[in-house]
Amino acid sequence: MTSIANEYQLKCGLEIHTQLNTEKKLFSLAKNDPFGSISSPNHHVSYFDAALPGTRPILNYECVLKALKLAISLNCDVNLNSHFDRKHYFYGDQPQGYQLTQHYSPIASNGYLNLHSDIDNLDTPTKKINIIQLQLEQDTGMSHYDNYEKKTMIDLNRSNVPLIELVTEPNFDSVPQVIAFLKKYQNLVRRINVSTGNLETGAIRVDVNVSVGDYPRVELKNLSNTSSISNAIKYEYDRQINIIKQGKAAELLRYEETRGWNGYETIKLRSKETTIDYRYMPDPELGCIRLDYSIIKDIKKSLPISTDDEIRIFLNEPYNLSLKNAKLLCIQNGKNEYYTNGEVKKYYLDSFNLFREVIPPSFERDCKIIANWVINELLGDLNKLELPLKNIQELFPPTKFIEFIKLLQNGKVSNTGGKRLLFYILENIQTKQFKGNIDLQYLIQKLNIEIKSSVDGEELLKQCQSIIDNINNPKLIENIKSGKKKNSLNYLVGIAMRQTRGRVKPTEYQRIFKNILMIK
């Protein structure tokens, strides 16, 4: 991306269409299942969705409720008297010949979402993104092109699916800001349960308006993921700068365009000169949505704490989590099929609170042990085994997990032995080998991982010397001796621990290796 000077400042604004996850569609009783077309095209289609003569729209107020939740979460001014308009255009996947939207009087406006340097990985401390409006509207059907038979097939499963269109001010002046906003928005709609928030499936569809300084904007469409959005903005920004440098800036105004992204470059879809006159008009069949202000107050009370505030809670006392782990607990990425962040957060908090009750003396020193074993070890094993977290709750609940942690704290098993024990437990839960209570003491004996209370010094000395003699990297040993790479000593300790399956304390190995290598 070309370096930015003041005269070539990037300006971006977003138009985001979000499918609401309601049970029914926006104006009919048909099931809201836009992706049912994969197996059953035109299966969830009412008479109104197909625009049969004589059918009339009936507003689904669940859509209104979800739109209000989103509007309030985005700090918008809610319009207590909004209404629907007809946006006229003719296309095969819009059988009515118009789309019902809220052009003149949207349900909310004048909102904002703040981005922060510490949470959103930005260079600037805070970036406020202003939201012009949120409006309810119906989605269109889907056109499927058959190049072989040279025909277009229409699937109306998506027709009349409820959408929220969000329009921002052109406040973005860098690509990282755009991506940070989209990720934050995705997490928000999942957190308040108004949408799945997935870009890849089309539950969220993003158009980006790109301009250089005060030159005319170009709208980018068909951006299916954050990678496409990022690359398309960078390409279009450079393309417009080159036009300006060539003295052809007037062309940007004359041929104001809508462009698409083919994976390599932006391509012209249409120009402003061929834009359809939508002939907006108030819909005569739908009355105003009239709201009492008490509804707004009730929704505000029902909304969860903001993600940013929750992350900061976990960053501070008593949790002291890393930013990475705090985000894992609080941000719903919608990608992992084996657990949700809500499930992980509950398991962690239940375990954390039990830990404070059971092991209070060591709490200040070892409070991060819960995060390490839940987030790094437990979740890592669940992913390896493709085992859902909910499937272990009965046999390995937080109470049993803390019993496991006590074994580590009391020096009964080492970290190496603990990792082996944990994986063995989860593996046997997956294969349904455990029929009742899990006896940790029995499993420790079975796996032979209990730390030895007394060890043969001569035997350990021989083991450590053998490890040093068989290292194929003499420079590593020299670096340890010279103090250049003291942490490499842990590499030797790790080899020894694996050989004895964690039955010897790592401090014993550290002492012996230091004696052999004559280091402090």
Side-chain angles (χ1 to χ4, degrees):
M1 185 170 169
T2 305
S3 60
I4 298 176
N6 288 334
E7 60 180 317
Y8 297 134
Q9 178 64 57
L10 171 69
K11 288 175 65 176
C12 286
L14 300 181
E15 296 176 17
I16 304 175
H17 290 84
T18 306
Q19 289 179 339
L20 301 181
N21 58 353
T22 55
E23 183 181 353
K24 304 297 183 182
K25 292 186 178 182
L26 181 55
F27 297 116
S28 76
L29 297 178
K31 184 177 179 181
N32 179 5
D33 182 21
F35 310 116
S37 57
I38 295 173
S39 55
S40 304
N42 294 305
H43 186 66
H44 301 301
V45 182
S46 72
Y47 293 151
F48 177 78
D49 303 333
L52 295 186
T55 57
R56 300 179 65 185
I58 301 174
L59 179 60
N60 176 2
Y61 279 93
E62 184 187 3
C63 304
V64 177
L65 175 61
K66 293 200 177 240
L68 291 173
K69 289 173 66 176
L70 183 57
I72 293 168
S73 298
L74 291 169
N75 309 291
C76 292
D77 296 330
V78 174
N79 184 356
L80 299 180
N81 293 281
S82 63
H83 67 78
F84 289 93
D85 308 299
R86 292 183 178 183
K87 175 183 178 181
H88 293 85
Y89 68 92
F90 299 92
Y91 203 72
D93 57 19
Q94 182 61 280
Q96 290 170 291
Y98 58 85
Q99 179 189 29
L100 287 169
T101 184
Q102 292 186 311
H103 179 69
Y104 292 116
S105 185
I107 196 163
S109 58
N110 301 323
Y112 65 89
L113 187 64
N114 286 325
L115 305 176
H116 305 283
S117 58
D118 55 345
I119 293 176
D120 302 303
N121 301 318
L122 297 182
D123 294 334
T124 55
T126 303
K127 181 70 176 182
K128 183 178 181 181
I129 305 301
N130 293 305
I131 296 165
I132 298 173
Q133 67 184 50
L134 267 73
Q135 61 192 50
L136 269 168
E137 62 186 28
Q138 60 181 172
D139 208 343
T140 63
M142 297 180 70
S143 299
H144 299 277
Y145 303 98
D146 188 328
N147 291 325
Y148 180 74
E149 295 191 13
K150 305 296 182 184
K151 65 181 181 180
T152 300
M153 296 172 288
I154 304 297
D155 177 13
L156 295 178
N157 275 342
R158 199 179 71 178
S159 176
N160 198 29
V161 163
L163 289 179
I164 286 288
E165 182 179 4
L166 177 153
V167 182
T168 76
E169 295 277 7
N171 296 142
F172 303 95
D173 52 40
S174 74
V175 173
Q177 290 174 10
V178 173
I179 302 305
F181 181 91
L182 289 174
K183 288 182 177 179
K184 201 156 198 168
Y185 180 75
Q186 282 182 292
N187 173 66
L188 173 61
V189 298
R190 291 167 180 154
R191 187 178 183 85
I192 63 176
N193 190 29
V194 301
S195 174
T196 63
N198 296 326
L199 277 163
E200 292 77 10
T201 61
I204 288 182
R205 304 195 292 275
V206 181
D207 299 336
V208 184
N209 295 315
V210 179
S211 64
V212 176
D214 293 327
Y215 289 100
R217 66 180 174 89
V218 170
E219 184 179 23
L220 302 180
K221 287 185 172 290
N222 303 332
L223 306 174
S224 57
N225 52 52
T226 53
S227 177
S228 295
I229 292 167
S230 176
N231 291 331
I233 293 173
K234 292 175 183 177
Y235 181 92
E236 180 59 24
Y237 173 70
D238 286 340
R239 188 187 75 86
Q240 291 185 30
I241 284 181
N242 288 333
I243 291 174
I244 295 168
K245 286 182 175 180
Q246 292 170 18
K248 299 178 181 179
E251 291 186 8
L252 291 173
L253 179 59
R254 183 182 175 189
Y255 300 109
E256 190 172 339
E257 294 175 331
T258 296
R259 299 178 71 87
W261 175 250
N262 63 9
Y264 306 98
E265 60 183 355
T266 62
I267 54 175
K268 180 178 177 179
L269 298 178
R270 61 179 182 266
S271 68
K272 187 175 181 180
E273 294 172 331
T274 60
T275 299
I276 299 171
D277 176 9
Y278 291 123
R279 293 177 292 118
Y280 288 102
M281 60 168 282
D283 185 85
E285 296 184 314
L286 286 163
C288 287
I289 301 174
R290 301 189 187 278
L291 303 172
D292 189 278
Y293 187 71
S294 62
I295 296 173
I296 311 305
K297 293 191 290 186
D298 290 342
I299 292 175
K300 280 183 179 179
K301 292 177 184 177
S302 71
L303 290 172
I305 183 175
S306 76
T307 301
D308 289 356
D309 289 343
E310 188 175 43
I311 287 175
R312 290 197 171 91
I313 288 173
F314 282 114
L315 291 177
N316 295 305
E317 295 287 350
Y319 308 103
N320 295 316
L321 292 184
S322 67
L323 180 60
K324 178 182 177 182
N325 286 342
K327 283 185 172 183
L328 187 144
L329 294 181
C330 301
I331 295 178
Q332 300 187 17
N333 57 33
K335 292 180 181 179
N336 197 294
E337 58 186 300
Y338 307 116
Y339 48 81
T340 66
N341 80 312
E343 290 172 335
V344 176
K345 181 166 58 179
K346 186 177 187 309
Y347 195 95
Y348 165 78
L349 286 173
D350 289 347
S351 300
F352 186 90
N353 292 329
L354 283 170
F355 182 78
R356 282 202 290 182
E357 294 174 10
V358 175
I359 318 178
S362 60
F363 171 68
E364 291 299 327
R365 185 178 70 252
D366 296 320
C367 63
K368 292 185 179 179
I369 190 173
I370 302 299
N372 179 56
W373 280 92
V374 170
I375 296 174
N376 298 327
E377 303 301 334
L378 177 64
L379 298 189
D381 287 347
L382 293 177
N383 283 326
K384 288 177 187 176
L385 294 168
E386 299 182 351
L387 176 65
L389 177 58
K390 61 184 178 182
N391 288 11
I392 74 168
Q393 295 280 8
E394 182 179 353
L395 293 175
F396 200 65
T399 50
K400 181 62 69 173
F401 176 74
I402 292 303
E403 186 182 332
F404 165 79
I405 293 295
K406 285 175 66 176
L407 295 173
L408 298 167
Q409 294 288 97
N410 297 335
K412 191 79 172 178
V413 294
S414 66
N415 279 353
T416 302
K419 290 177 183 179
R420 187 164 175 237
L421 174 60
L422 179 62
F423 190 83
Y424 181 84
I425 290 170
L426 299 177
E427 191 174 36
N428 280 271
I429 289 176
Q430 182 188 44
T431 57
K432 300 182 179 180
Q433 296 300 308
F434 294 133
K435 303 301 181 183
N437 182 51
I438 297 174
D439 188 337
L440 296 178
Q441 296 292 342
Y442 168 75
L443 293 179
I444 288 171
Q445 299 300 321
K446 179 179 180 179
L447 297 174
N448 194 21
I449 57 174
E450 185 174 7
I451 291 180
K452 295 179 179 180
S453 56
S454 60
V455 294
D456 186 329
E458 288 295 323
E459 182 181 333
L460 293 187
L461 182 63
K462 289 179 182 178
Q463 180 193 8
C464 291
Q465 187 62 58
S466 174
I467 289 172
I468 292 172
D469 293 341
N470 287 285
I471 288 290
N472 294 323
N473 185 1
K475 190 174 181 180
L476 175 71
I477 302 300
E478 289 302 319
N479 286 336
I480 295 175
K481 286 182 177 181
S482 65
K484 289 182 179 179
K485 292 189 177 181
K486 290 184 179 180
N487 289 336
S488 295
L489 184 66
N490 294 332
Y491 173 71
L492 303 180
V493 172
I495 295 174
M497 292 288 288
R498 285 193 292 274
Q499 290 179 352
T500 55
R501 295 184 176 180
R503 286 178 289 127
V504 178
K505 292 182 179 179
T507 52
E508 286 290 325
Y509 283 124
Q510 287 174 354
R511 180 181 60 80
I512 295 172
F513 278 122
K514 286 180 178 180
N515 288 338
I516 295 174
L517 298 173
M518 293 182 291
I519 59 176
K520 294 182 180 180

